[in-house]
Each structure stands twice: as structure tokens, then as C-alpha cells.
Amino acid sequence: MKGIRLDRWSGKLLSPRTRSSYLRQQTMQSPASRTQQSRFQSSSAAMEEDVIYEDDDASSSATSRHPSSPYPSPLPEAALHSAKLAALHARLALPKKLPLQTMARTLVDPSADPNICFNNASLAQLGGSIIALHVTEYLLCKYPRIPMSVLFAATYAYHGPKTLSIIAQEWGVQTAAYPGSEVDPGLLQFSKLAPGTKIGEIGSVRSDRRETWRRGISSRVVYDDEFGDTILKPRNEVESKPTETAYSNFVKAVVGSVYLHAGREAAKTFVKDHILSRHLQITSLLKFNEPVRELSRLCKREEFEYPVARILSETGRMSRSPVFVVGIYSGSEKLGEGAGPSLAEARIRASVAALKAWYLYSPGNNVRVPSDMESVDARPWEPVHIDIGEVIH
């Protein structure tokens, strides 16, 4: 697990000073008469009523702008008057330290506003790393023998784009028809693909282009993302599912904003309540091509006695639907049990049950993770079980 420097990122996001100006040009006027306008946004932890704006006409108010304002996203001051945004803030039980202005920023996708000072790109980057950290350490400490391929699938099931998109929709987040300054800040804003847009191909960005076909487990750990998938091309490529991506980035941005304004423990609790609390049938992720052979190699590696199949019970051997119950034993210890319409099928199912019992060993649901040591009153650390890994054949 790679370490991340969250303090370096958070310092850039929570600067008390006003951000650099973002020049917006009116497209309806001629180039000679266009007026450069600057918009500022502050991400301070306190909920402030006064938001700084700079305009050529100092007497003009941000709230009295015409709906055809050139800004691609709502002004921060509008967040204080949005009923949808306040309801979403209360529905998620977010800390009071998290201001509505930052909450409104989490709803602005980079496709709606390309300026990093006003979209949720930086918050989503921070929140995605925090989610990946807590999910990965939870799975590794709870299932220390889990294979890497199953770990990739489990992390994707917990915080993949599809899962985070479902979570955002369960929160009751609605999307805007089209982004703009007149849109309610409580709506998710992103730009949809225009009809006829050609989707760019997805490719790998590995350093050695000549060996992109060699994608083993070690290669996926080193070169690919946290799900073991190839990294997308540069961001100028068009993504195939903008709605799913916008919802996913919003959830990540919420976690990042909770970390910045409420602290590490609040972000960890938020991840546990909304992501790790979801039920995952992890046994369905384990697939074995040759379970009998893999079980025999596992017993040889662990210096167990050779596994032997024994009939425990049977019924209807001479009928059209017989049932055989077979147990796999290593010496006097039963490793697994399975039932099937034939002795061979029952033996295979018993071997699969034995392998699942081995790989899904868990010290319990309340296992401690490394991030628990960051608490001030943390108990002395007790090392967790570290397994040699899965059997490779």
C-alpha cells in the first residue's frame, strides 16, 4: 500500500487567501467590447455571508445578474440561498464545519466548469485517495489471504464508478439539464455528450509500450490503477459515461471536503457509514478453474497431508436424481464438504468449499487497521496476519 501525503494536498485547497482570478469573456459581444470579469471563491472552513467578487461595475450585485451570465457554474453566494443544497447537507448529516459554498463546489463537474478553482476535480482527487486507502486496508486486514485478483474485484465493487454512482443517486442528488450560472447550486452539473460524438479508445499508459500485452498480477499492481485496470489516456479523451463519472466524482469530492473541513476521523467515519457498510458477497468473487489440483498444491505448500475425498452420505444412487455428499479430508481434519449429482461433481464442490474456507479466513469484523493508530488515544499496535499469498499453478 503506497503512502499518500494528504497534508500537502489539503494545504492547497484550504488557503485562507483568495484564489487567483478566473477571467470570463462574454461570447455575445464583439472582441473589442468584451469585458474581462473575475470571479473569486474562498474555501475557508467558516460559513461566511460575504463572498468577494471583482467586476468592472462595482455596483452590480452577483444575485441580480441576468440568467445569461457568462459564468459556466453558479456563483458561490447562491449556495447560501439554495434549499436543495441545504436539504442535501442535512440529509447526509454532514458536519456543520462544512460550508454550503464548498458543498456547492462538489456538485460542479470539470466538464461543466473547466477552472480548477471552481470545479470538484481537486476535491475528488483527494477524496478518491481517502476512499481507496480505507477500503483497501479494511479488505487486507479482514481477509489477509484474499488473492490479488479478488482484491481488485472487491475494491471495485465497494468504490468503483458504478457503485459510487448508485450511492449518489440513493442520496437523492438530481442533475441539471445544462450547466450554467442560473442553475440551482443543489443540482449536479456536468456536460453531456453531444449526439454523434465519437468515443475515444481506452488504452494503457505503461512505460514500456512493447510489452503492453503482459498484464500479470504484479504488472497490474505496479502500472495500473487501484482496481487493477489499465489507466485511461490523457483527460482530453472523451469518456463513455459522463453521467456515471459525474456522480462518482461528486461522492469522492464530498469525502474530500469532509476531510478538509472536519478532519481525518470524520472522513473515515463517513466512508464507513456510506461505503464500507454496504454488503458484499465476497464468496461469489472467488473462481477456480482446477479446484482439486489447486487444493492439492495448497496442502503441499502448507505441509498438510494429501487431501482425500470420502463419501459422507448418499441417496438415490440408482435413481434418476442421485445426491452424493463428499468431504475433503487432510488426515483426520475435514477441509470442506460438497453435494452433487455425481461423485466427481461432489468432489469438485467440496474442494471449492475448502479453498474458499482457506482464502476467506478472517480474524473478525472488528479487526484493527493501520489508520486506527492515527488516533491520539490509540492502543498499542498488534500486528495483523500476513499470508504468503495465493497458490499459483
Side-chain angles (χ1 to χ4, degrees):
M1 186 185 303
K2 299 180 180 179
I4 54 177
R5 294 289 302 276
L6 300 181
D7 52 349
R8 180 176 299 178
W9 296 352
S10 60
K12 298 180 180 179
L13 293 174
L14 276 184
S15 175
R17 295 176 296 178
T18 306
R19 302 302 181 202
S20 60
S21 61
Y22 181 30
L23 300 180
R24 312 292 180 104
Q25 296 183 347
Q26 298 180 359
T27 59
M28 301 301 296
Q29 301 177 0
S30 60
S33 60
R34 290 176 184 174
T35 304
Q36 293 183 345
Q37 299 176 338
S38 304
R39 182 177 64 168
F40 296 87
Q41 182 184 34
S42 176
S43 301
S44 58
M47 297 180 59
E48 301 178 355
E49 291 290 338
D50 298 331
V51 181
I52 302 177
Y53 295 94
E54 286 189 3
D55 199 314
D56 293 337
D57 187 5
S59 61
S60 62
S61 175
T63 57
S64 61
R65 291 185 181 276
H66 192 269
S68 62
S69 174
Y71 300 142
S73 60
L75 297 174
E77 189 181 54
L80 302 176
H81 308 285
S82 174
K84 291 182 178 294
L85 193 61
L88 179 62
H89 192 285
R91 187 161 57 248
L92 298 182
L94 296 175
K96 295 182 179 180
K97 296 180 180 180
L98 178 60
L100 293 178
Q101 291 92 333
T102 304
M103 189 64 188
R105 181 178 174 181
T106 62
L107 291 165
V108 180
D109 191 75
S111 61
D113 193 340
N115 193 315
I116 60 175
C117 296
F118 302 100
N119 59 35
N120 61 6
S122 56
L123 294 174
Q125 180 70 26
L126 176 60
S129 299
I130 295 174
I131 295 175
L133 168 66
H134 293 304
V135 171
T136 304
E137 68 175 1
Y138 169 77
L139 290 174
L140 287 177
C141 292
K142 185 177 181 180
Y143 303 104
R145 294 174 178 167
I146 187 174
M148 282 302 302
S149 58
V150 181
L151 176 64
F152 286 141
T155 54
Y156 186 86
Y158 268 114
H159 66 101
K162 295 182 179 179
T163 303
L164 296 183
S165 176
I166 294 175
I167 292 176
Q169 296 178 40
E170 291 176 351
W171 288 350
V173 179
Q174 301 175 352
T175 60
Y178 193 81
S181 59
E182 72 281 1
V183 176
D184 191 307
L187 298 176
L188 180 62
Q189 303 161 61
F190 64 97
S191 296
K192 300 180 177 63
L193 294 179
T197 303
K198 186 177 181 181
I199 306 300
E201 296 181 357
I202 297 177
S204 175
V205 293
R206 299 168 180 238
S207 57
D208 193 351
R209 296 281 182 172
R210 296 171 298 178
E211 299 183 0
T212 55
W213 55 272
R214 300 182 61 183
R215 295 193 64 245
I217 295 298
S218 299
S219 178
R220 295 173 67 184
V221 173
V222 175
Y223 291 107
D224 298 335
D225 59 8
E226 64 269 22
F227 307 124
D229 299 330
T230 53
I231 303 175
L232 298 178
K233 288 183 178 180
R235 294 304 178 184
N236 54 4
E237 293 286 353
V238 182
E239 297 184 359
S240 58
K241 297 182 179 179
T243 304
E244 183 179 287
T245 303
Y247 273 121
S248 175
N249 289 337
F250 161 69
V251 177
K252 296 177 183 178
V254 171
V255 176
S257 61
V258 171
Y259 174 84
L260 292 177
H261 290 280
R264 179 181 59 248
E265 290 297 328
K268 182 178 180 179
T269 303
F270 189 87
V271 172
K272 285 184 177 180
D273 294 341
H274 294 275
I275 297 178
L276 291 177
S277 61
R278 304 177 70 87
H279 176 69
L280 174 62
Q281 193 70 24
I282 198 170
T283 56
S284 62
L285 302 178
L286 289 169
K287 304 296 181 182
F288 305 99
N289 296 326
E290 300 179 20
V292 177
R293 179 187 176 189
E294 185 168 348
L295 180 61
S296 63
R297 292 179 64 90
L298 175 63
C299 292
K300 182 179 179 180
R301 189 192 72 179
E302 300 295 329
E303 298 182 354
F304 297 157
E305 295 187 24
Y306 189 82
V308 178
R310 300 175 184 173
I311 300 178
L312 301 181
S313 63
E314 63 175 277
T315 179
R317 178 185 284 264
M318 305 304 296
S319 66
R320 60 181 297 180
S321 57
V323 177
F324 300 92
V325 180
V326 174
I328 298 293
Y329 287 84
S330 176
S332 60
E333 183 177 356
K334 184 170 70 172
L335 303 180
E337 180 180 326
S342 63
L343 291 175
E345 182 68 20
R347 180 191 178 192
I348 292 176
R349 294 183 179 180
S351 300
V352 171
L355 289 173
K356 288 184 176 180
W358 173 264
Y359 285 125
L360 296 182
Y361 158 77
S362 176
N365 293 326
N366 297 325
V367 60
R368 298 186 67 192
V369 294
S371 61
D372 292 340
M373 295 304 298
E374 296 177 349
S375 302
V376 179
D377 55 347
R379 295 183 288 107
W381 173 251
E382 298 178 2
V384 296
H385 175 73
I386 300 177
D387 192 74
I388 192 175
E390 65 267 26
V391 176
I392 301 177
H393 58 84

